[in-house]
Amino acid sequence: MRTFPIAVFLLGLIFTCGCDRRQKITFTENDISVIPKPKELELRDGAFVFNSETVFVVTGEEQGKIAGILTRKFRTVAGWEPEIATSVPSGNYVAFRKDDSLQDEAYKLQVAENRIIISANGYSGFLYGLESLRQLLPAEIESPTLQKDITWAVPAVEIKDSPRFRWRGLMLDVSRHFFPKEYVLKVIDGLALHKMNVLHLHLVDDQGWRIEIKKYPKLTEVGAYRVDKEDMHWNARPEPKPSENPTYGGFYSREDIKEIVAYAKEKGIEVVPEIEMPAHVMSAIAAYPELSCKGEPVMVPSGGVWPITEIYCAGKESTFEFLENVLTEVMDLFPSKYIHVGGDEATKTNWESCPHCQKRIKEEALSGVEELQSYFMKRMEKFISSKGRVMLGWDEILEGGLAPGATVMSWRGIQGGWEASEQGHDVVMTPVSHCYFDYYQGPQDSEPLAFGAFTPLNKVYEFDPVVDSMSVKQAGHVLGGQANLWSEYIPTTSHSEYMIYPRLTALAETVWSAKEDRDWKDFTSRLEQMFKRYDKLGINYAGSAYTITADAEVDKNQNITIVLGTEFPDTDIRYVLNDGDLSAARPYTGPIAVSETTTIKASRFEDEKPVGKSL
Ligand code: TNX
């Protein structure tokens, strides 16, 4: 990575050459804030300026689709739309060039004053080249309305870029709370902006079955709805009574799923379905009680259930027949290489006392219920791999022996991923320590209710899917990383966005960019530019990283000082003591000494004005 002078020169119009577009505009590196950070970026002199005469030159329908993503934006914000053509004009064009020497997903973006060339070996590379180009344009390109007096200039650069990991994912739990299809499509747009390429949909859990299955209509008729107890804390919701009406919920029809999958594909994203088993399935058992050991009726729970004992029976053949039928329909709808079958958090007390399960243990010469779960998962793995797909499961699938072709998603920490990779299996790292976006991202008293643990932005930025203690061989099995957004405490789409952004921005950089390029200060300054894009895109991101925190420090002489800070370096914090007014605030330059009861009022300032939450 080269460094460039920091001073900002915007020389504006130095010369105009007959046509409007040959303006001389000079950018500096500070004007460039692409996230995730490209591998190599060289700033050149000058700029390319888009105008109504600009042409996108494509070969074939796929490139046309990619070009359309940006040309449509110009239609909205500029009132004109660059033409998409197949022949190269003399200048003022963006051309896609196939370059088979580049690896999958890699791209080269060359911006010169008279033309832009995006080179790649295929769809994803072209798409990522375009996404980088989009981030080089003024943030107004993201606006939903016509923008006046904007010069659509892009700095002359040469970018050579490719991802560090091939799995760059986000999981949405659409079971604990259901989110409409339109929101899922919006999340896909957000993922594409960050060059993420996997959307994992957690479609099944105790509190709701969210995908239409033709052969088992009750899964959604019954399993998709619960008694509405949304006014109560998730873990304080009483068991529903048969007299109560299940009205709260929803599901994706087959048509919805097809639309989501197709939309995601256009944005370079694979949608990986998760069909949980053998636990987290009370919604299915509510629909078809015979799937459990006891076969007794249950209702879809309205909130938390712990421990999870109401699970599929692993003894009856009919359970496997059901699951194979369900997975067959799921695989018809999702072309993804990976099919996630959950496997987590099964409490197997019912298996201990179930005659069917005990018979199975005996017949298969298994050591007990742990190995019975392993039998269960191995059977599913055989079925899934017979269809040419790869089974993926949470790290519990290691217990009692891992199925031969399985890939492991390591969530309880890194240990599962470590072990599975040592056994020669591929892994996706999603440790709770860095990747759980249902955890708090700021001080609890200034945040909406969340799962009671803490994953601030800077913690996410420290994530590394490869652990130091892994051998080179193990590291080779790490496909990448993923954030998980469990939705027990997230009832609305705007709240969901709040939990995703900007932590997704940090995660995207950890799974795309080179590890040695990680630089918190540089990241936060680029992030501030990204916030402008989020504003225009109507994304409800969290400003939690700006929240001012106060820590008291006591030295050995009992002197007390108060340290103020935010997650952002160089924040302009100002404060007043006791009853002072913020308009008279003085800049915070270091720890504040206090010797008696003192009230400190502090705020972040921008352009001499207090912004965000004050403390
Ligand atoms: C653990 S991660 C779970 C989920 C919860 C989550 C809450 C995993 C495989 N299981 O069922 O929603 O914790 O953070």
Side-chain angles (χ1 to χ4, degrees):
M1 193 70 222
R2 290 211 189 165
T3 51
F4 298 90
I6 295 179
V8 178
F9 298 110
L10 193 63
L11 297 180
L13 305 180
I14 289 185
F15 65 89
T16 323
C17 242
C19 63
D20 172 40
R21 65 168 313 281
R22 294 195 52 197
Q23 301 154 347
K24 182 81 182 166
I25 302 175
T26 302
F27 288 90
T28 72
E29 211 199 24
N30 278 4
D31 302 317
I32 297 174
S33 49
V34 179
I35 297 181
K37 197 173 183 75
K39 210 177 201 168
E40 286 175 45
L41 186 152
E42 207 176 299
L43 183 62
R44 303 262 162 91
D45 203 23
F48 179 96
V49 180
F50 283 85
N51 63 21
S52 58
E53 307 297 315
T54 306
V55 174
F56 276 72
V57 186
V58 302
T59 315
E61 207 183 306
E62 287 201 335
Q63 290 181 12
K65 266 190 193 159
I66 295 169
I69 296 173
L70 198 52
T71 60
R72 281 193 299 275
K73 284 184 176 285
F74 279 113
R75 154 87 39 224
T76 310
V77 297
W80 40 260
E81 183 164 349
E83 187 195 340
I84 299 178
T86 50
S87 58
V88 186
S90 58
N92 194 8
Y93 63 87
V94 181
F96 292 84
R97 189 177 283 168
K98 188 150 166 51
D99 181 345
D100 290 323
S101 72
L102 293 170
Q103 292 168 352
D104 287 349
E105 301 198 295
Y107 70 92
K108 204 156 81 182
L109 173 62
Q110 294 162 293
V111 179
E113 288 192 340
N114 63 343
R115 52 121 188 94
I116 294 175
I117 296 171
I118 302 175
S119 312
N121 83 5
Y123 197 86
S124 308
F126 286 123
L127 191 73
Y128 299 143
L130 190 95
E131 291 293 351
S132 286
L133 178 58
R134 172 181 169 192
Q135 288 193 35
L136 292 173
L137 277 157
E140 285 79 5
I141 190 74
E142 313 298 350
S143 293
T145 55
L146 197 64
Q147 303 293 296
K148 288 234 167 71
D149 305 324
I150 304 287
T151 305
W152 301 106
V154 174
V157 286
E158 172 141 344
I159 293 179
K160 283 187 196 142
D161 200 9
S162 58
R164 183 171 164 218
F165 292 103
R166 60 192 144 123
W167 186 295
R168 305 180 299 279
L170 171 72
M171 185 216 72
L172 281 188
D173 168 7
V174 294
S175 171
R176 271 56 175 274
H177 283 96
F178 177 68
F179 298 94
K181 176 191 74 188
E182 291 69 25
Y183 176 65
V184 177
L185 302 183
K186 190 178 178 200
V187 171
I188 289 170
D189 286 339
L191 289 172
L193 175 65
H194 296 87
K195 304 190 178 82
M196 302 287 284
N197 65 355
V198 176
L199 173 65
H200 163 181
L201 286 182
H202 183 76
L203 291 162
V204 174
D205 216 302
D206 293 313
Q207 296 83 6
W209 182 286
R210 304 298 179 206
I211 176 173
E212 177 189 3
I213 301 292
K214 277 188 299 187
K215 206 172 172 101
Y216 302 105
K218 283 199 279 181
L219 284 173
T220 42
E221 284 165 15
V222 175
Y225 297 93
R226 62 186 188 231
V227 175
D228 188 347
K229 301 256 165 65
E230 291 301 300
D231 55 338
M232 301 173 83
H233 187 284
W234 180 259
N235 288 326
R237 297 178 187 174
E239 233 180 85
K241 297 188 209 69
S243 60
E244 291 176 304
N245 207 2
T247 54
Y248 186 86
F251 64 92
Y252 304 114
S253 68
R254 291 170 56 81
E255 289 314 306
D256 290 338
I257 297 283
K258 284 182 197 159
E259 192 181 334
I260 290 170
V261 168
Y263 189 83
K265 187 171 178 227
E266 252 183 50
K267 303 262 159 138
I269 292 160
E270 179 163 273
V271 188
V272 174
E274 181 186 351
I275 304 296
E276 270 273 21
M277 62 189 76
H280 286 280
V281 293
M282 283 177 77
S283 54
I285 295 173
Y288 298 99
E290 61 273 23
L291 291 168
S292 73
C293 292
K294 293 183 188 153
E296 287 165 4
V298 297
M299 286 182 79
V300 180
S302 299
V305 177
W306 196 260
I308 304 169
T309 54
E310 203 58 71
I311 65 178
Y312 290 144
C313 177
K316 297 181 215 168
E317 269 308 292
S318 52
T319 306
F320 294 97
E321 198 182 304
F322 165 81
L323 286 170
E324 289 183 6
N325 288 335
V326 167
L327 287 176
T328 300
E329 287 195 31
V330 167
M331 285 188 268
D332 275 351
L333 289 169
F334 292 89
S336 60
K337 174 175 173 190
Y338 294 91
I339 302 293
H340 202 310
V341 290
D344 59 314
E345 298 181 324
T347 298
K348 298 154 186 114
T349 39
N350 288 355
W351 287 3
E352 299 275 10
S353 57
C354 167
H356 303 287
C357 291
Q358 289 305 317
K359 186 161 168 260
R360 173 87 65 196
I361 288 172
K362 216 168 183 182
E363 279 174 5
E364 299 290 333
L366 306 171
S367 57
V369 290
E370 291 311 324
E371 213 184 338
L372 183 56
Q373 157 132 357
S374 168
Y375 166 88
F376 196 116
M377 301 325 274
K378 281 180 181 157
R379 234 180 119 160
M380 296 325 300
E381 195 279 327
K382 225 183 208 164
F383 178 71
I384 290 168
S385 59
S386 77
K387 306 285 175 198
R389 311 293 184 95
V390 177
M391 183 184 98
L392 182 57
W394 299 112
D395 55 51
E396 283 92 333
I397 67 170
L398 276 153
E399 290 162 14
L402 190 52
T407 294
V408 170
M409 207 167 244
S410 187
W411 73 276
R412 290 178 295 180
I414 49 133
Q415 196 53 30
W418 200 98
E419 271 173 48
S421 61
E422 173 143 275
Q423 291 177 29
H425 290 254
D426 285 348
V427 298
V428 177
M429 302 301 275
T430 66
V432 283
S433 54
H434 296 78
C435 298
Y436 270 44
F437 286 7
D438 53 330
Y439 293 1
Y440 281 98
Q441 55 190 317
Q444 286 202 17
D445 55 3
S446 60
E447 290 291 322
L449 181 69
F451 191 93
F454 188 44
T455 312
L457 184 65
N458 63 54
K459 183 82 184 176
V460 178
Y461 196 67
E462 283 167 14
F463 172 53
D464 201 276
V466 170
V467 184
D468 283 345
S469 60
M470 281 178 174
S471 66
V472 173
K473 201 159 164 234
Q474 280 174 295
H477 283 293
V478 177
L479 300 178
Q482 174 175 297
N484 293 336
L485 184 56
W486 299 101
S487 65
E488 289 95 329
Y489 299 99
I490 305 174
T492 66
T493 55
S494 68
H495 188 176
S496 171
E497 282 189 341
Y498 181 90
M499 303 305 274
I500 295 174
Y501 304 99
R503 288 186 287 188
L504 183 78
T505 322
L507 187 102
E509 190 142 307
T510 69
V511 290
W512 178 284
S513 307
K515 195 179 176 187
E516 48 292 357
D517 277 350
R518 236 73 57 100
D519 179 337
W520 175 245
K521 193 168 174 201
D522 172 59
F523 171 73
T524 52
S525 75
R526 282 179 288 123
L527 180 61
E528 291 194 60
Q529 298 308 311
M530 186 60 105
F531 283 163
K532 293 184 184 158
R533 283 171 204 269
Y534 290 167
D535 285 330
K536 307 265 184 303
L537 290 165
I539 290 176
N540 179 38
Y541 59 95
S544 316
Y546 282 124
T547 304
I548 296 177
T549 51
D551 292 306
E553 284 176 5
V554 186
D555 70 10
K556 55 181 184 316
N557 301 322
Q558 301 299 304
N559 295 319
I560 300 170
T561 50
I562 306 294
V563 178
L564 302 181
T566 78
E567 284 196 65
F568 285 82
D570 303 334
T571 308
D572 181 2
I573 299 174
R574 302 190 193 180
Y575 72 101
V576 280
L577 298 181
N578 299 321
D579 290 330
D581 190 83
L582 271 180
S583 59
R586 58 178 121 141
Y588 172 77
T589 51
I592 306 163
V594 291
S595 53
E596 55 188 7
T597 305
T598 308
T599 317
I600 299 177
K601 203 183 285 169
S603 176
R604 181 168 68 89
F605 272 64
E606 246 177 46
D607 301 328
E608 302 300 313
K609 285 194 213 75
V611 286
K613 283 187 194 122
S614 51
L615 175 79

